[in-house]
Amino acid sequence: LLPTSTVLAESPPSAAPIGDSATSAALTARSVSEDRAMAEVLEASSFLVALGLFFVAGIGLAFTPCVFPMVPILSTIIVGEGESLTKARAFTLSLAYVLGMALTYALVGLLVGLFGAELNLQATLQSPLVLSVFAVVFVLLSGAMFGFYELALPQRMQQWINQRSAQQQGGRHPSVFVMGSLSSLVVSPCISAPLAGALIYLSNTADAVLGGSALFALGLGMGVPLMVVGGSGGHWLPRAGIWMDTVKGVFGFGLLGVAIWLLERLVPGSVALVLWAVWLIAAGVYLGAFEFVPKAAGRRFAQVLGLTLSVWGGACLLGASAGGVDPLKPMHRFSSIGIAEQAQVESVRWEAVKTVADVERLMASSSGPVLLDLYADWCISCKVMERSVFPEPEVARQLARFTLLRADVTANDAQDQALLKQFGLFGPPSLVFFSEDGCEIDEFRVQGEVSADRLETHLAQVLAL
């Protein structure tokens, strides 16, 4: 499935300025987006070099907001083993989780090789029902971590599992493998630049073997930090006494955070900020923020941390009352800078589009460059860009010079899929640029989360054409 847009590296746009050809070539070279650069790496590199690059890229992606929630999930699995946990078993459980995640990515690569860009499996699993069910599951698991109850199978089923576990080592490994597979699709659904690069290459060449192998290497790289955290669990974490209860409580709050992380895709930003505020205040109370009694040095440190979290939570409540959405900057709406930025953002008008016909109609009536933003409520990276990238003053000023179109593909219905297929896109976040004559400026396309500085430079290059 080839993208329908014109590849301007082969046919420069008519809107390009007439001037020194070397300058124009240098501008085009700098403007190649990161996802397309990754696709070119696959085309130009040998099989082993491509796998190595994607493995390194995966390690970097492990520290992004879309992947980080996997840490408390895996840590809870490790802690749940209790005192009998050995370092070897912690490592094998972590490996099972990571392999489940990596093989799922590889399977997605193979399916894209067979069906092209119209496959959008991750979006399918971001329905409100699926996200709500997983959020409830994580809340129930956190309750068990706090000791409110024990999640246990019926006695007869436990006996059956114990008998099979005695015959085969690692009886719980298949369930951990399944949890890793589901986490890769439900907890971290955002399109990243390396992932988009592999999918672009697959959709153009149908090389399912190379694409699947690249995504497998990407998944293994993403799993390296998880292996370090989980594989060392049996050695680093205390196994008995009151400290074990404290560790379980910390991971309980981690699971509650993952539940809020999932629900954040379904509720308005201010409501999500209230949930984070309650979470922070509850964590502060758990750490003894308001227990003003004599205590040991370690407990005093925990109390200081708890007071800090409680104050932070209170700030989030105040910020939510003013329409704030960012837990890292909860009081931003009350500052003079925040007021000025809000006025700047309000001057940037996004026109909602749903179908390909909507895009074509608005492009036909536009007198300047056009920017199409692909957005979804379940896309965490989209929300990060919405609250931390687009509001930046210089970015907002440059956006105001475009005709801004926004396609909300949250529903992933037939019209959304047709729009994705028309432009050869795999999911949000994605930015597609069009010149005044309606042709896509293909090499400027951006897929995946982008920083404010990089987007500012990118927009300036588009406007310079």
Side-chain angles (χ1 to χ4, degrees):
L1 176 64
L2 293 172
T4 57
S5 55
T6 304
V7 179
L8 299 185
E10 300 175 0
S11 179
S14 57
I18 300 175
D20 181 70
S21 59
T23 302
S24 299
L27 178 62
T28 301
R30 291 195 304 270
S31 67
V32 175
S33 58
E34 187 178 349
D35 57 282
R36 194 160 299 278
M38 294 302 296
E40 293 175 358
V41 166
L42 276 176
E43 294 176 354
S45 302
S46 66
F47 184 82
L48 293 179
V49 171
L51 295 188
L53 290 175
F54 271 88
F55 180 80
V56 173
I59 295 177
L61 289 176
F63 300 97
T64 61
C66 286
V67 181
F68 192 74
M70 292 186 180
V71 174
I73 297 175
L74 178 58
S75 299
T76 301
I77 294 173
I78 300 301
V79 173
E81 288 291 298
E83 299 180 24
S84 61
L85 179 67
T86 63
K87 194 171 183 179
R89 182 165 176 80
F91 177 83
T92 56
L93 286 172
S94 302
L95 180 61
Y97 185 91
V98 170
L99 285 177
M101 179 179 65
L103 287 174
T104 300
Y105 274 111
L107 179 61
V108 170
L110 291 172
L111 291 176
V112 171
L114 295 175
F115 298 104
E118 58 191 271
L119 178 72
N120 198 357
L121 180 61
Q122 289 176 312
T124 304
L125 293 178
Q126 299 305 306
S127 67
L129 177 60
V130 173
L131 292 176
S132 299
V133 169
F134 268 82
V136 170
V137 168
F138 287 129
V139 170
L140 292 176
L141 290 174
S142 69
M145 288 287 103
F146 292 125
F148 295 148
Y149 47 78
E150 290 188 5
L151 295 176
L153 295 172
Q155 187 66 28
R156 182 174 300 179
M157 187 175 293
Q158 287 189 39
Q159 292 177 354
W160 183 85
I161 293 176
N162 290 335
Q163 291 174 358
R164 297 301 182 274
S165 299
Q167 298 173 2
Q168 301 179 7
Q169 294 183 355
R172 291 185 66 254
H173 289 77
S175 61
V176 176
F177 178 90
V178 172
M179 180 60 75
S181 299
L182 294 176
S183 296
S184 64
L185 291 173
V186 177
V187 179
S188 61
C190 301
I191 293 292
S192 60
L195 178 58
L199 297 180
I200 289 172
Y201 179 78
L202 276 175
S203 66
N204 288 329
T205 66
D207 191 342
V209 174
L210 178 56
S213 301
L215 292 191
F216 181 75
L218 184 76
L220 288 180
M222 291 167 59
V224 168
L226 296 176
M227 292 286 294
V228 173
V229 173
S232 303
H235 178 71
W236 288 350
L237 297 178
R239 302 193 185 173
I242 191 173
W243 281 105
M244 193 59 191
D245 294 333
T246 302
V247 170
K248 286 186 176 181
V250 169
F251 287 127
F253 277 104
L255 290 173
L256 285 176
V258 175
I260 297 174
W261 187 272
L262 294 176
L263 293 176
E264 196 175 18
R265 309 172 191 188
L266 305 177
V267 299
S270 295
V271 175
L273 188 58
V274 170
L275 293 177
W276 284 119
V278 173
W279 182 84
L280 287 166
I281 294 173
V285 172
Y286 181 82
L287 292 172
F290 305 105
E291 296 176 358
F292 298 102
V293 295
K295 56 186 65 176
R299 299 294 296 176
R300 287 182 179 275
F301 176 80
Q303 184 178 24
V304 171
L305 178 60
L307 283 170
T308 303
L309 294 178
S310 297
V311 172
W312 186 4
C316 287
L317 281 178
L318 289 175
S321 67
V325 296
D326 190 352
L328 297 180
K329 296 188 294 184
M331 305 293 287
H332 192 60
R333 289 289 184 99
F334 295 100
S335 67
S336 58
I337 297 177
I339 295 173
E341 287 185 2
Q342 184 63 25
Q344 183 74 35
V345 170
E346 290 176 353
S347 67
V348 177
R349 303 292 183 181
W350 293 92
E351 187 78 21
V353 295
K354 181 65 176 179
T355 65
V356 176
D358 292 339
V359 177
E360 293 175 347
R361 173 175 53 82
L362 291 172
M363 281 198 301
S365 62
S366 173
S367 59
V370 177
L371 170 58
L372 172 63
D373 174 38
L374 201 69
Y375 171 90
D377 288 339
W378 46 260
C379 172
I380 293 297
S381 290
C382 297
K383 294 190 174 184
V384 171
M385 293 180 65
E386 184 69 18
R387 72 190 184 200
S388 303
V389 177
F390 296 147
E392 286 296 315
E394 187 58 35
V395 173
R397 278 193 291 270
Q398 292 180 337
L399 287 175
R401 299 175 61 183
F402 289 84
T403 297
L404 300 175
L405 309 180
R406 171 164 289 167
D408 188 339
V409 297
T410 301
N412 193 36
D413 55 23
Q415 292 179 323
D416 294 339
Q417 294 175 13
L419 187 67
L420 291 170
K421 182 177 180 180
Q422 174 72 14
F423 296 108
L425 298 170
F426 301 97
S430 296
L431 301 175
V432 185
F433 297 88
F434 301 89
S435 59
E436 295 182 12
D437 58 5
C439 294
E440 182 188 346
I441 313 175
D442 187 79
E443 71 271 23
F444 280 90
R445 176 185 295 192
V446 175
Q447 295 189 82
E449 186 178 334
V450 61
S451 66
D453 291 340
R454 181 168 174 262
L455 182 59
E456 178 185 338
T457 302
H458 204 76
L459 293 173
Q461 292 177 352
V462 176
L463 293 170
L465 292 176

